[in-house]
Amino acid sequence: MATRTPPHTASADTSHTYATRLLRAEVPIEVVAELLGHASTQTTAEIYSHLDVEDHRRVLLSAGVIKDGASAR
């Protein structure tokens, strides 16, 4: 018998993608938490702590902390 995807999964995936894209676009975590209906920014931070090294690099580049091809000092 084939396994069926629970109905809430598509909605959860959409919310997860939405939140990840907002955070990658440097939308403040307080705003993302409110949009998602989280009671606190801590909840949002715990769920989306998976953002990768590339996400961090992009932020450091845009802040001028590092230059493309250089490491942070």
Side-chain angles (χ1 to χ4, degrees), residues 16 23 29 43-52 55-56:
H16 194 79
L23 292 167
I29 197 163
T43 301
T44 309
E46 288 172 2
I47 294 170
Y48 299 99
S49 64
H50 70 278
L51 296 179
D52 62 22
D55 296 312
H56 297 223

Side-chain angles (χ1 to χ4, degrees), residues 4-30:
R4 300 185 106 205
T5 303
H8 72 278
T9 301
S11 177
D13 288 347
T14 301
S15 294
H16 194 79
T17 300
Y18 174 64
T20 300
R21 292 184 76 177
L22 289 173
L23 292 167
R24 285 182 174 164
E26 300 179 35
V27 173
I29 197 163
E30 296 84 3

Side-chain angles (χ1 to χ4, degrees), residues 47-70:
I47 294 170
Y48 299 99
S49 64
H50 70 278
L51 296 179
D52 62 22
V53 171
E54 183 59 25
D55 296 312
H56 297 223
R57 189 185 74 76
R58 270 190 236 110
V59 171
L60 292 172
L61 278 169
S62 92
V65 175
I66 62 171
K67 298 200 182 297
D68 203 12

